[in-house]
Amino acid sequence: MYDLLSKYKVLIIDDFAQFRATMKAMVHKLGARKIDLAGDAAEGMKYCLKTDYDIILCDYNMGQGQDGQQFLEELHQRSILLKGCLFLMVTAETTSAQVMGAIDYRPDAYLTKPFTSELLGQRLKRL
């Protein structure tokens, strides 16, 4: 499982620097070596315009600006995502309205914080 992501480019978007660092360590443990970090949707969009990512791990609630759902919608509207790119919504939000709203914009998975690198790896392997 430690080389699961060795061939993939990963973007992590979260407004909390400590959680970005934690997620970076998780995907690094799973083999990813090309990992970019963004603190909000605007910074994430700049990265997406420059790089074709294989996996995007995006927080749902990113403070000011777009939330993860709006970010995913814009990526689809602008046709920025690669066809095979996995978009995982990562959040502490568990209300059914938010989960169902995010599903309307077709994330590949919805992960609820906190989670382990093992759970992340299992989910990515399944996807």
Side-chain angles (χ1 to χ4, degrees), residues 41 58-72 89:
C58 183
D59 187 25
Y60 182 88
N61 186 355
M62 295 185 278
Q64 294 186 339
Q66 287 181 321
D67 63 26
Q69 181 176 330
Q70 293 163 331
F71 179 70
L72 177 57
M89 195 74 71

Side-chain angles (χ1 to χ4, degrees), residues 76-94:
H76 281 291
Q77 288 174 348
R78 295 176 67 179
S79 300
I80 293 172
L81 287 179
L82 285 177
K83 183 176 172 95
C85 179
L86 296 177
F87 190 100
L88 285 80
M89 195 74 71
V90 180
T91 186
E93 305 295 336
T94 58

Side-chain angles (χ1 to χ4, degrees), residues 82-114:
L82 285 177
K83 183 176 172 95
C85 179
L86 296 177
F87 190 100
L88 285 80
M89 195 74 71
V90 180
T91 186
E93 305 295 336
T94 58
T95 64
S96 61
Q98 287 176 322
V99 172
M100 296 313 290
I103 289 171
D104 288 344
Y105 297 104
R106 301 178 307 277
D108 294 293
Y110 196 95
L111 292 172
T112 303
K113 298 175 186 177

Side-chain angles (χ1 to χ4, degrees), residues 11-24 36-44 56-69 71 88-93 113:
L11 175 62
I12 297 168
I13 308 169
D14 196 287
D15 56 331
F16 289 106
Q18 186 171 358
F19 193 72
R20 286 193 305 270
T22 299
M23 287 188 26
K24 180 178 182 179
D36 290 323
L37 306 174
D40 60 26
E43 187 179 10
I56 297 175
L57 300 166
C58 183
D59 187 25
Y60 182 88
N61 186 355
M62 295 185 278
Q64 294 186 339
Q66 287 181 321
D67 63 26
Q69 181 176 330
F71 179 70
L88 285 80
M89 195 74 71
V90 180
T91 186
E93 305 295 336
K113 298 175 186 177

